[in-house]
């Protein structure tokens, strides 16, 4: 059983203001603000990267959700597992796309986990996922400790993991709890209630409260973590979010006509569930959190906290981490250490032109 | 690793997917900027130049403020570097500005080593960052970056050419820091001389292979302005802390009897250009160049020097940490060995010294014994002599009493003849005795003043003869 890692150390508050640096009054405009524009230009030229992982049992609408989030056919319309017998082991399936909006380029990588929680015995089903996440950290670490480094190290580390909780309406299942406990130490986890259209509003609220209670009982620190709130504004904003997590979401990639508008939604016999309507579901909140307001924050916390934690452990005791296929043994090997890779496959399917639908 | 290969292929060939609606990540640059603003920026400037070229004044003028700091005393030997950090705030942007100035540069008689403190300082900042980066537990995102981002090299306005000190220093610095050469106190040169001076300087820099910082021209938005500015290097600047009323505005200027030089007038000097380039257009690029080019170069050299390689003969990547530990242990082992050696040597020396001292002690004892023996011999000899002398004295006394006895007998028995004869005999006898005594006395106790120096009548002499102690 992997020992749980130390909880990430809190980031210290923004600029260290030491008494030895006297503030100076400037008597006129100098132009220091222009550095912000310079930053923007540079960032837009270089482009951004974002890696997201969706975890949950099959049939919870993970692929649809990803398509809805990024308003594009990131996945094939038929989920990869359909029509194929349930894989014996957990598979991780990654797709990379470059999307552009108003001059801003984003290289998006989505990792799916078909087969998670689908077996009869789901013991240690989180190991391949942890191994994959650690493998990405490992890759970055190897690039970072090279002597001749690249100018820009490609960032494949998972910035956010969206965990789909099935809408049972009761509470978190043991599998969920186990998984969340292990993963929140390694990566930013955002749990969501999937297929929330099967719950009424009251059921949703009750379910949400119970889940929050479960999370508190088991000391699961989901994103946004309380200890990283830098100032009072962040605290206020994040507390509001924390109150609503887990979001109850519905995914849809079909458009329907409602009151003359074209909206994304699910059409049922009793009505159309509008995805972007706050009264119907909380998808806009999820989208805002992940993309519009906290994307940079997700990346920063991954880089400054999770990656640093990984690095510390790696450089100290490398036999405590679950390994992916990219594992390189840094410390001298001692007898009795596991060196065989876990049984899982990583397939990247961006070249499946014939099957993709655009 | 197969997975890595696949991943890399994907990176090159990943598709652009059209978006069906507004997703919202166009706010990403703003998110990034907001994060940076909350963290604050830092910028470090190094001013290198001879004393009196107006380095502090230019900094004050550039940032439109009066930086506190007494003017440096120029009484110290060698080149020193003085560093001051200030917090500047403009609207919502906070800048932690560090200004490092050379003190005493060019003041020495022998300037061969003038560049060394500067190079060492720059290296020390890189080293500090490298150490932080190599730590196991590190906090890079809140680390106060002290690496020098730009070096403003102040050239004296001679009007002729670069001094050899300038050339040598710039050559040493060009691979470590972004250099922007500026002509200081440009109000001392006329316009025509200035153009000639600039051309001369640029040609000298090129012919000596000095790489000064070129403003980047790869981004369209700034390519044009940077391109024109590149042609104006080195900038001829004037600094001033005084504000004068010109027209109806207060502006920084220097007043001379023959006119007023305005700092912000583009026709008078290139100060505005310098401010544009340094702060408003290229500050971020300067920082990036420092981090990606100069720092990486330093890091590579340092790590290779420490003996790291990227791959070992089995083409398995080495770990920095592992090799670092190995090197450290090796180093500690060496230290210990050296310590042992020194200890051995010390013990050895102590032994030798002890032996020497023992030897000396023995010798002294021997000498002492010898001298003592000598002294005893001498003493014995003297005693012997004294004894013999005493014997002789006793013998004489006996003879004397015998002689007196004889004399008294003679005077009773004989007449005057015999008396005369005896007297004569006695005289001669006394004389002989006298002389014998004198001789004897003389022999044993040095010249003695005896009462019988002159031959006195025998009786008197004999009667009065006594052993007069000297």
């Amino acid at each position: 059983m992997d020992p749980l890692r130390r909880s990430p150390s809190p980031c210290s508050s923004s600029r260290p203001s030491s008494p030895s640096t006297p503030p100076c009054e400037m008597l006129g405009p100098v132009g220091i603000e222009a550095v912000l524009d310079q930053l923007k230009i540079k960032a837009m030229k270089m482009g951004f990267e974002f890696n997201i992982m969706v975890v949950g049992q099959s049939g919870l609408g993970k692929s649809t959700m990803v398509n809805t989030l990024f308003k594009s056919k990131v996945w094939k319309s038929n989920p990869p597992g359909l029509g194929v017998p349930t894989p014996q082991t957990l598979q991780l399936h990654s797709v990379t796309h470059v999307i552009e909006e108003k001059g801003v380029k984003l290289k998006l990588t989505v990792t799916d986990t078909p087969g998670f929680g689908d077996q009869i015995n789901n013991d240690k089903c989180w190991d391949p996922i942890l191994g994959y996440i650690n493998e990405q950290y490992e890759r970055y670490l190897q690039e970072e400790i090279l002597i001749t480094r690249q100018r820009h190290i490609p960032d494949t580390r998972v910035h956010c993991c969206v965990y789909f909780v099935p809408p049972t309406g009761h509470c978190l299942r043991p599998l969920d709890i186990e998984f969340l406990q292990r993963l929140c130490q390694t990566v930013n986890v955002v749990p969501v209630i999937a297929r929330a259209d099967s719950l009424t509003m009251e059921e949703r609220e009750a379910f949400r409260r119970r889940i929050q209670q479960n999370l508190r009982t088991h000391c699961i620190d989901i994103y946004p973590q309380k200890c990283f709130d830098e100032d009072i504004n962040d605290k206020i904003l994040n507390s509001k979010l924390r109150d609503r997590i887990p979001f109850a979401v519905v995914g849809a990639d079909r458009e329907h006509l409602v009151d003359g508008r074209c909206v994304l939604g699910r059409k049922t016999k009793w009505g159309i569930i509008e995805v972007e309507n706050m009264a119907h579901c909380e998808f806009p909140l999820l989208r805002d959190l992940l993309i519009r307001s906290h994307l940079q924050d997700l990346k920063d916390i991954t880089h400054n906290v999770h990656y640093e934690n990984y690095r510390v452990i790696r450089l100290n005791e490398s036999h405590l981490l679950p390994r992916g296929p990219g594992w390189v043994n840094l410390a001298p090997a001692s007898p009795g250490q596991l060196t065989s890779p876990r049984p899982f496959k990583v397939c990247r399917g961006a070249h499946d032109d014939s099957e993709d639908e655009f | 690793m197969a997975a890595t290969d696949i991943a890399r292929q994907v990176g090159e060939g990943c598709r652009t997917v059209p978006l069906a609606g507004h997703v919202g990540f166009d706010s990403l640059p703003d998110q990034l900027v907001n994060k940076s603003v909350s963290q604050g920026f830092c910028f470090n400037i190094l001013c290198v130049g001879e004393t009196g070229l107006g380095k502090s004044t230019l900094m004050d003028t550039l940032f439109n403020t009066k930086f506190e700091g007494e003017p440096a005393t120029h009484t110290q030997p060698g080149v020193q570097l003085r560093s001051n950090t200030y917090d500047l705030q403009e609207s919502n942007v906070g800048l932690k500005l560090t200004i490092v100035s050379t003190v005493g540069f060019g003041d020495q008689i022998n300037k061969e080593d003038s560049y060394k403190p500067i190079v060492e300082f720059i290296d020390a900042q890189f080293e500090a960052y490298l150490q932080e980066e190599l730590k196991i537990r590190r906090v890079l995102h809140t680390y106060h970056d002290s690496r020098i981002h730009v070096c403003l090299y102040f050239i004296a306005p001679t009007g002729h050419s670069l001094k050899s000190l300038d050339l040598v220093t710039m050559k040493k610095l060009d691979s470590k820091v972004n250099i922007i050469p500026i002509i200081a106190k440009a109000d001392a040169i006329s316009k025509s001389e200035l153009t000639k001076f600039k051309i001369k300087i640029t040609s000298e820099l090129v012919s000596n292979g000095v790489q000064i910082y070129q403003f980047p021209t790869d981004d369209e938005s700034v390519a044009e302005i940077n391109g024109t500015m590149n042609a104006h290097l080195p900038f001829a600047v004037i600094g001033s802390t005084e504000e004068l009323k010109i027209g109806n505005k207060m502006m920084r200027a220097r007043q001379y009897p023959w006119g007023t030089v305005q700092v912000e007038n583009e026709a008078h000097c290139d100060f505005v250009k310098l401010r544009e380039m340094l702060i408003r257009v290229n500050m971020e690029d300067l920082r990036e160049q420092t981090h990606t080019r100069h720092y990486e170069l330093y890091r590579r050299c340092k790590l290779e020097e420490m003996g790291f390689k990227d791959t070992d003969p089995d083409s398995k990547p080495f770990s920095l940490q592992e090799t670092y530990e190995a090197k450290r242990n090796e180093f500690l082992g060496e230290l210990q060995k050296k310590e042992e050696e020194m200890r051995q040597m010390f013990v050895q020396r102590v032994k030798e010294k002890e032996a020497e001292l023992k030897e000396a002690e023995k010798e002294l004892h021997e000498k002492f014994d010898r001298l003592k023996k000598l002294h005893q011999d001498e003493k014995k000899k003297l005693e012997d002599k004294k004894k013999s002398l005493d014997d002789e004295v006793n013998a004489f006394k006996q003879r004397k009493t015998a002689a007196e006895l004889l004399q008294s007998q003679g005077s009773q028995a004989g007449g005057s003849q015999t008396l005369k004869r005896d007297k004569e005999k006695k005289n001669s006898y006394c004389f002989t005795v006298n002389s014998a005594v004198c001789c004897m006395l003389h022999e044993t106790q040095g010249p003695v003043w005896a009462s019988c120096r002159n031959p006195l009548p025998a009786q008197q002499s004999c009667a009065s003869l006594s052993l007069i102690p000297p």
Side-chain angles (χ1 to χ4, degrees):
Chain A
M1 172 164 141
D2 300 326
L4 296 176
R5 275 189 232 159
R6 295 171 277 268
S7 61
S9 54
C11 305
S12 57
S13 64
S14 46
R15 250 179 313 132
S17 50
S18 52
S20 62
T21 57
C24 276
E25 269 305 312
M26 290 192 303
L27 312 167
V30 175
I32 299 179
E33 295 186 291
V35 74
L36 299 180
D37 294 322
Q38 297 169 28
L39 256 185
K40 245 189 235 187
I41 293 174
K42 268 217 180 342
M44 298 210 6
K45 197 166 80 153
M46 206 158 63
F48 296 86
E49 287 167 317
F50 189 55
N51 309 317
I52 186 173
M53 180 189 265
V54 283
V55 184
Q57 285 178 299
S58 36
L60 284 181
K62 303 190 291 288
S63 321
T64 321
M65 175 56 61
V66 171
N67 286 349
T68 322
L69 261 177
F70 293 102
K71 290 227 171 53
S72 55
K73 297 264 190 299
V74 178
W75 295 101
K76 314 180 288 237
S77 53
N78 291 332
L82 206 63
V84 173
T86 325
Q88 290 304 306
T89 55
L90 178 60
Q91 290 188 343
L92 281 105
H93 194 97
S94 256
V95 175
T96 307
H97 288 290
V98 173
I99 45 183
E100 184 175 336
E101 193 174 65
K102 290 195 186 144
V104 179
K105 285 199 209 27
L106 178 67
K107 186 164 149 197
L108 177 72
T109 306
V110 184
T111 311
D112 197 2
T113 55
F116 176 78
D118 284 342
Q119 280 82 43
I120 295 177
N121 182 5
N122 286 313
D123 203 22
K124 298 229 195 292
C125 64
W126 45 81
D127 273 348
I129 297 177
L130 281 177
Y132 174 80
I133 295 175
N134 285 335
E135 183 203 336
Q136 307 313 310
Y137 286 148
E138 181 64 28
R139 214 174 270 177
Y140 195 88
L141 180 66
Q142 291 296 332
E143 286 284 338
E144 202 190 25
I145 63 178
L146 280 182
I147 292 187
T148 327
R149 302 198 277 211
Q150 297 176 36
R151 198 166 245 256
H152 176 68
I153 301 177
D155 191 2
T156 51
R157 302 171 290 187
V158 176
H159 299 131
C160 178
C161 174
V162 183
Y163 187 76
F164 286 72
V165 176
T168 56
H170 296 304
C171 58
L172 284 178
R173 301 167 301 159
L175 172 66
D176 301 333
I177 293 174
E178 269 299 312
F179 184 82
L180 285 172
Q181 263 180 337
R182 285 161 199 288
L183 240 71
C184 68
Q185 312 270 342
T186 326
V187 73
N188 300 317
V189 178
V190 179
V192 292
I193 302 173
R195 287 196 182 264
D197 49 340
S198 58
L199 298 170
T200 63
M201 293 299 156
E202 297 81 21
E203 284 168 356
R204 258 190 225 173
E205 277 307 307
F207 191 27
R208 197 202 315 274
R209 298 287 158 229
R210 263 187 294 248
I211 291 181
Q212 283 173 354
Q213 201 177 20
N214 280 350
L215 293 175
R216 267 195 299 272
T217 324
H218 290 96
C219 302
I220 298 173
D221 206 9
I222 51 171
Y223 183 83
Q225 290 93 341
K226 236 183 223 147
C227 48
F228 299 143
D229 286 341
E230 287 188 2
D231 54 18
I232 192 75
N233 294 332
D234 278 352
K235 260 204 182 60
I236 297 174
L237 182 66
N238 288 343
S239 331
K240 284 209 197 102
L241 284 171
R242 277 190 280 266
D243 201 44
R244 308 294 292 162
I245 284 181
F247 301 125
V249 293
V250 176
D253 47 5
R254 294 235 171 89
E255 293 201 338
H256 305 275
L257 218 57
V258 170
D259 296 337
R261 291 170 316 163
C262 223
V263 291
L264 278 176
R266 282 172 68 79
K267 188 165 181 189
T268 60
K269 287 239 159 25
W270 46 92
I272 295 181
I273 306 162
E274 290 168 47
V275 164
E276 302 212 1
N277 191 336
M278 270 301 290
H280 291 195
C281 80
E282 288 163 358
F283 171 79
L285 284 178
L286 178 67
R287 183 197 51 207
D288 288 346
L289 175 74
L290 282 185
I291 300 175
R292 291 190 187 171
S293 55
H294 284 75
L295 203 155
Q296 189 59 38
D297 192 45
L298 283 164
K299 287 172 65 167
D300 281 344
I301 293 192
T302 309
H303 180 66
N304 293 333
V305 177
H306 295 297
Y307 171 69
E308 290 295 320
N309 273 350
Y310 173 81
R311 186 174 171 276
V312 167
I313 296 184
R314 185 76 170 95
L315 295 180
N316 276 336
E317 319 132 21
S318 47
H319 57 276
L320 292 179
L321 293 169
R323 304 155 189 205
W327 187 266
V328 169
N329 209 6
L330 290 188
S334 59
Q337 263 185 347
L338 270 175
T339 45
S340 59
R342 309 292 166 135
F344 81 101
K345 244 166 50 182
V346 176
C347 22
R348 303 241 178 196
H351 276 312
D352 298 330
D353 288 353
S354 52
E355 292 160 35
D356 268 347
E357 262 183 50
F358 287 102
Chain B
M1 290 174 281
T4 328
D5 294 339
I6 296 173
R8 294 265 161 85
Q9 274 169 26
V10 161
E12 261 105 353
C14 58
R15 284 182 164 251
T16 313
V17 173
L19 296 176
H22 178 68
V23 177
F25 58 85
D26 54 339
S27 64
L28 267 178
D30 294 319
Q31 288 181 34
L32 182 64
V33 160
N34 287 340
K35 272 260 163 205
S36 307
V37 164
S38 65
Q39 272 176 0
F41 296 90
C42 71
F43 195 56
N44 309 320
I45 305 180
L46 169 67
C47 295
V48 179
E50 295 177 13
T51 40
L53 279 183
K55 301 188 284 288
S56 330
T57 318
L58 185 68
M59 286 298 114
D60 286 350
T61 323
L62 207 57
F63 290 99
N64 222 341
T65 176
K66 184 91 184 77
F67 290 124
E68 289 131 30
E70 347 62 56
T73 57
H74 297 112
T75 52
Q76 314 220 310
V79 178
Q80 317 247 320
L81 284 126
R82 232 172 35 138
S83 154
N84 287 313
T85 311
Y86 308 97
D87 263 329
L88 300 172
Q89 183 93 18
E90 189 172 82
S91 60
N92 61 340
V93 179
L95 180 71
K96 209 179 190 72
L97 180 71
T98 305
I99 299 181
V100 187
S101 232
T102 53
V103 172
F105 186 74
D107 279 347
Q108 296 80 33
I109 296 176
N110 182 2
K111 296 180 236 184
E112 273 180 10
D113 293 338
S114 289
Y115 69 88
K116 283 198 188 139
I118 306 175
V119 170
E120 276 164 15
F121 181 82
I122 296 177
D123 279 346
Q125 310 313 310
F126 282 148
E127 183 63 32
Y129 192 86
L130 183 66
Q131 288 303 322
E132 181 66 28
E133 201 187 20
L134 286 182
K135 273 194 200 161
I136 294 189
R137 265 185 210 287
R138 56 190 193 180
V139 267
L140 270 182
H141 56 277
T142 45
Y143 177 74
H144 171 52
D145 190 6
S146 58
R147 299 174 292 185
I148 302 290
H149 298 127
V150 67
C151 169
L152 291 176
Y153 196 92
F154 287 70
I155 300 173
T158 54
H160 297 307
S161 62
L162 279 177
K163 299 191 186 156
S164 41
L165 171 68
D166 293 339
L167 272 173
V168 164
T169 313
M170 278 204 262
K171 191 94 182 85
K172 293 280 178 201
L173 290 178
D174 71 349
S175 58
K176 293 199 181 284
V177 74
N178 303 313
I179 300 184
I180 298 182
I182 55 182
I183 301 171
K185 297 203 167 177
D187 47 353
I189 321 184
S190 73
K191 223 175 175 57
S192 50
E193 283 173 0
L194 192 63
T195 22
K196 272 193 253 163
F197 193 28
K198 281 193 187 182
I199 294 173
K200 192 80 188 6
I201 291 179
T202 11
S203 65
E204 277 199 346
L205 289 175
V206 163
S207 61
N208 279 292
V210 175
Q211 284 179 337
I212 54 174
Y213 176 72
Q214 295 295 317
F215 302 117
T217 46
D218 45 1
D219 186 30
E220 330 74 49
S221 50
V222 291
E224 202 188 299
I225 186 170
N226 278 343
T228 40
M229 291 301 177
N230 272 331
H232 280 112
L233 279 173
F235 296 127
V237 292
I238 301 167
S240 167
T241 43
E242 294 161 359
E243 292 209 350
L244 301 167
K245 200 168 171 66
I246 298 174
N248 52 356
K249 279 204 303 179
M250 294 293 285
M251 55 167 75
R252 289 179 181 264
R254 285 175 68 81
Q255 187 153 54
Y256 293 105
W258 49 88
T260 315
V261 184
Q262 294 158 30
V263 168
E264 304 210 10
N265 189 335
E266 296 231 27
H268 290 193
C269 75
D270 295 333
F271 172 80
V272 177
K273 293 196 185 76
L274 175 68
R275 188 175 57 193
E276 271 299 302
M277 286 293 103
L278 193 62
I279 302 177
R280 294 191 185 161
V281 179
N282 293 309
M283 195 196 281
E284 187 57 32
D285 186 66
L286 284 164
R287 289 172 41 171
E288 196 188 311
Q289 289 286 328
T290 309
H291 181 66
T292 52
R293 202 147 64 96
H294 301 292
Y295 171 69
E296 287 295 318
L297 181 65
Y298 175 83
R299 180 176 174 273
R300 191 163 58 227
C301 294
K302 197 68 201 292
L303 291 181
E304 278 173 4
E305 195 184 288
M306 287 186 3
F308 292 110
K309 296 186 287 286
D310 265 340
T311 49
D312 75 334
D314 301 51
S315 68
K316 269 207 279 273
F318 250 148
S319 153
L320 218 66
Q321 184 61 24
E322 179 191 60
T323 335
Y324 183 64
E325 281 295 314
K327 287 262 159 191
R328 190 162 164 268
N329 290 337
E330 204 184 296
F331 178 66
L332 283 176
E334 263 182 44
L335 267 183
Q336 246 177 330
K337 222 174 29 176
K338 277 210 182 117
E339 212 183 301
E340 262 312 304
E341 265 179 39
M342 278 171 92
R343 199 176 303 154
Q344 295 282 16
M345 213 162 62
F346 178 70
V347 166
Q348 184 98 357
R349 282 232 190 106
V350 165
K351 271 204 195 120
E352 280 175 19
K353 204 69 183 193
E354 256 184 49
E356 255 178 61
L357 287 173
K358 272 208 180 92
E359 277 287 324
E361 204 184 325
K362 216 163 81 179
E363 254 179 67
L364 279 174
H365 274 299
E366 276 179 19
K367 205 165 166 189
F368 178 67
D369 288 335
R370 246 185 303 139
L371 282 175
K372 198 163 160 194
K373 197 152 159 277
L374 219 67
H375 174 74
Q376 275 176 343
D377 287 344
E378 292 272 323
K379 201 167 160 194
K380 198 148 163 272
K381 251 196 238 169
L382 281 174
E383 276 179 18
D384 289 343
K385 271 204 178 150
K386 188 165 175 229
K387 199 154 158 259
S388 61
L389 176 66
D390 283 340
D391 289 341
E392 280 187 21
V393 165
N394 288 340
F396 169 71
K397 273 198 187 147
Q398 283 174 357
R399 275 206 296 240
K400 180 181 163 202
T401 43
E404 279 180 2
L405 208 61
L406 270 176
Q407 193 195 14
S408 59
Q409 281 176 356
S411 61
Q412 282 169 9
S416 54
Q417 289 166 326
T418 45
L419 198 69
K420 223 188 202 169
R421 240 189 296 137
D422 284 336
K423 251 202 218 160
E424 280 171 4
K425 248 205 242 165
K426 225 190 248 170
N427 267 343
S428 63
Y429 187 71
C430 282
F431 198 72
T432 4
V433 169
N434 285 347
S435 58
V437 166
C438 284
C439 290
M440 212 163 54
L441 281 175
H442 201 274
E443 204 186 292
T444 53
Q445 282 163 10
V448 166
W449 202 97
S451 62
C452 49
R453 249 195 292 166
N454 303 322
L456 293 169
Q459 263 174 327
Q460 280 174 332
S461 59
C462 282
S464 69
L465 184 67
S466 59
L467 263 159
I468 303 161

